[in-house]
Amino acid sequence: MPKSKEKPIIKVDKVSKEFGPFAVLKEISFNIYPREFLFLIGPSGAGKTTLFRLLTHEITPTEGEIVFDNMEVSGKLLGKQLCELRRRVGRVFQDLKLIEDKTVRENIRLIFDILKIDRKEIDEESERLLGLVGLNERSNLFPSQLAEGEKQRVGIARALVGQPDVLLVDEPTSNLDPATSWQIIKTLQDIHNKGTAVVVATHDEDIVNSLKVRVIEIDKGKLVRDEKKGKYQSNQ
Amino acid sequence: MTALKTAFNHIKRSPYQSVLVILTLTFSFFLISNFAVLCFASQQVLSFFEGKPQVIAYLDDEATSEQILALKSKLDNTGKIKEVKYVSKEDALRIYQEANRDNPLLLEMVTADILPASLEISATDISYLKDLAGILEHEEIISVSEGGKKEIDFQEDIAQSLRQWTQSIRKIGLVLGGFLILECFLLILVITSMKIALRRDEVEIVRLLGGSSWYARVPFLLEGIIYGFLGALLGFLIMYLVLSQITPLAAEFLGGVEVFPILQEFLLILLGSTVLFSSLLCGLASFAATKRYLK
């Protein structure tokens, strides 16, 4: 949990996003602090994924400001800044976006190349990340040969390559059975315990209620709740 | 190195497309190389004829050395002369003997006395030949044939028609080469665009994960350059094989005109320039495609 005077690593200030006539997010404001674990909840279409896209500068807000560690994310970013942002804000996509004709290992190694990380470190670091998500023995398989939970782990390992300060995880348990869902959450907790802020967008009531961490709720594009030890409310 | 590896992977993963592109480029650069060699060879033939004495004026047996020197000086003063060479009767016999050394019967029958001395005149430009022949027509020391005509040989017609041929080959080569180059450019543009469309998801993932636009672009650029390099290289090699097969026949056909075998230096320059040009052209076409589709 954030300490009262700690400086936020991400500051979202009155951010709105419109796609044509549709307002997807309306004046959303909140902070994310270093080493925090929080859930972003809300019904489908509430704007959770749009918020993640804004935080990684995939799209820019119609109004408002997003600042990541003194970097103005809501404005125009140069190539180097964008690379830096996406290295420091890791993202696990809902559809995972794994490259199907690359093996697990190749999918992870690709990010080392993209982020221009020294090649000497690649083998060692790849092994470490595969070990962290428990996929060492399946590293030569292609995504189509993996179970859904394993694919999710590959997505997580890939997002950790740049040793991000913040990890954004979009619906990590949506297609998983409860046991596998808990394994994924356990992996995310391990990552959080090593010092990374983790933001999980989810619908999973059991997981949110069990962990008793900060919960931000969005509904119809508005921030309706931001609680330190939140729960999934029964009306959802 | 990673980008190069990715480019080779792109090629390997769509082998039929890649082979088709390389074959098309090979065929185009085979034709372009052929035209370049043809232009070079025709230019060599033309230079050969232009470099040979273009007017031969046979001298009367009575001509004195003063008269011959006076005529030489008169010709020199026109400013249209590259060289005037006096060929004596003895020189003429030597030339005759050399030309007929395989025929002893002909050699026995000829002595220096019956051969005329001559002046071999080269002009600085082929268009001056008529003027020079006109001057010689009025000279008394030029021998006269039985028909009453001055004995003057000049090869204006051969050289003129060769020059026209050379210019035509050059023009056809340029037009055809231009079309082939345009075709290669468009082919690479279309193929790269298709490949980008096929790999759109991968490109999008790379961008979302922090890859710069150049990171996504470079493998496609390299792929285009590889196609260009291989196409031009194979096109040249096939042309070289064909050329080496026809060289003995062509050399025999052209007789004393020393064109074949084609100069190795020219072939090396041709290889280097076509490979470089083709690589740049295809790289540029790929760049245009990535600029259009990888915004």
Side-chain angles (χ1 to χ4, degrees), chain B residues 27-229:
Chain B
F27 180 68
S28 301
F29 278 92
F30 168 70
L31 288 180
I32 290 169
S33 302
N34 269 318
F35 263 95
V37 169
L38 198 58
C39 285
F40 179 76
S42 59
Q43 184 61 46
Q44 293 284 95
V45 174
L46 181 65
S47 301
F48 176 83
F49 278 99
E50 285 181 340
K52 285 280 164 187
Q54 294 153 345
V55 180
I56 302 173
Y58 295 99
L59 300 171
D60 195 286
D61 287 349
E62 307 299 318
T64 62
S65 50
E66 287 78 19
Q67 283 175 310
I68 295 167
L69 282 173
L71 177 57
K72 270 186 86 172
S73 159
K74 187 176 179 181
L75 290 169
D76 278 335
N77 289 338
T78 59
K80 298 172 179 173
I81 297 297
K82 196 159 111 188
E83 191 186 8
V84 180
K85 189 180 159 197
Y86 173 70
V87 179
S88 68
K89 283 172 171 284
E90 288 71 27
D91 294 336
L93 179 63
R94 266 197 298 278
I95 293 167
Y96 180 83
Q97 285 172 336
E98 182 62 29
N100 295 288
R101 64 181 165 193
D102 298 334
N103 199 334
L105 194 65
L106 284 177
L107 294 177
E108 276 175 24
M109 293 164 66
V110 177
T111 60
D113 292 341
I114 64 163
L115 294 172
S118 61
L119 286 178
E120 290 185 351
I121 303 154
S122 302
T124 51
D125 190 279
I126 204 160
S127 62
Y128 297 148
L129 290 183
K130 256 190 180 153
D131 299 344
L132 296 172
I135 294 169
L136 294 166
E137 285 282 347
H138 297 100
E139 290 295 324
E140 280 182 11
I141 61 167
I142 305 299
S143 69
V144 180
S145 68
E146 284 177 4
K149 283 184 81 176
K150 293 280 186 184
E151 288 192 299
I152 302 166
D153 288 347
F154 72 101
Q155 300 156 351
E156 189 203 20
D157 292 346
I158 297 173
Q160 275 295 20
S161 57
L162 266 176
R163 178 171 283 189
Q164 279 166 2
W165 271 100
T166 306
Q167 283 172 350
S168 302
I169 290 169
R170 218 174 278 168
K171 278 178 194 164
I172 293 169
L174 278 175
V175 172
L176 187 71
F179 275 117
L180 289 172
I181 286 165
L182 183 68
E183 177 231 304
C184 293
F185 183 87
L186 293 176
L187 176 74
I188 296 293
L189 189 81
V190 170
I191 287 290
T192 309
S193 305
M194 275 172 59
K195 290 208 167 191
I196 292 172
L198 279 173
R199 309 195 82 82
R200 189 170 284 281
D201 288 348
E202 189 177 324
V203 169
E204 187 204 342
I205 293 167
V206 166
R207 299 296 307 276
L208 286 174
L209 295 171
S212 65
S213 64
W214 273 105
Y215 184 89
R217 190 173 286 177
V218 168
F220 292 105
L221 286 183
L222 290 176
E223 193 179 343
I225 291 170
I226 292 167
Y227 289 143
F229 180 85

Side-chain angles (χ1 to χ4, degrees), chain A residues 58 86 97 101 111 113-114, chain B residues 2 199 205 207-208 211:
Chain A
E58 192 187 327
R86 290 188 181 166
K97 297 195 189 297
D101 59 3
I111 314 305
D113 287 329
I114 289 175
Chain B
T2 311
R199 309 195 82 82
I205 293 167
R207 299 296 307 276
L208 286 174

Side-chain angles (χ1 to χ4, degrees), chain A residues 169-225:
Chain A
V169 191
D170 200 355
E171 304 281 4
T173 58
S174 57
N175 293 320
L176 305 180
D177 59 81
T180 313
S181 297
W182 274 108
Q183 284 173 6
I184 295 293
I185 293 299
K186 175 76 176 54
T187 304
L188 292 173
Q189 282 183 312
D190 289 344
I191 291 161
H192 166 244
N193 291 337
K194 288 190 169 94
T196 304
V198 178
V199 182
V200 182
T202 187
H203 281 109
D204 199 318
E205 197 173 329
D206 284 346
I207 286 171
V208 174
N209 291 342
S210 304
L211 257 60
K212 295 188 175 66
V213 294
R214 185 179 168 199
V215 171
I216 293 175
E217 184 181 349
I218 299 173
D219 191 13
K220 292 173 186 162
K222 286 185 176 169
L223 193 151
V224 293
R225 184 156 65 103

Side-chain angles (χ1 to χ4, degrees), chain A residues 116-151:
Chain A
K116 298 183 180 74
I117 292 170
D118 190 353
R119 292 197 70 81
K120 286 176 198 160
E121 293 177 24
I122 292 181
D123 289 332
E124 205 178 306
E125 190 59 15
S126 296
E127 288 309 310
R128 189 187 72 79
L129 289 172
L130 286 165
L132 186 69
V133 295
L135 281 175
N136 286 98
E137 287 171 10
R138 302 181 77 75
S139 62
N140 290 322
L141 297 181
F142 289 94
S144 59
Q145 297 171 305
L146 300 176
E148 285 305 312
E150 289 171 327
K151 287 183 193 175

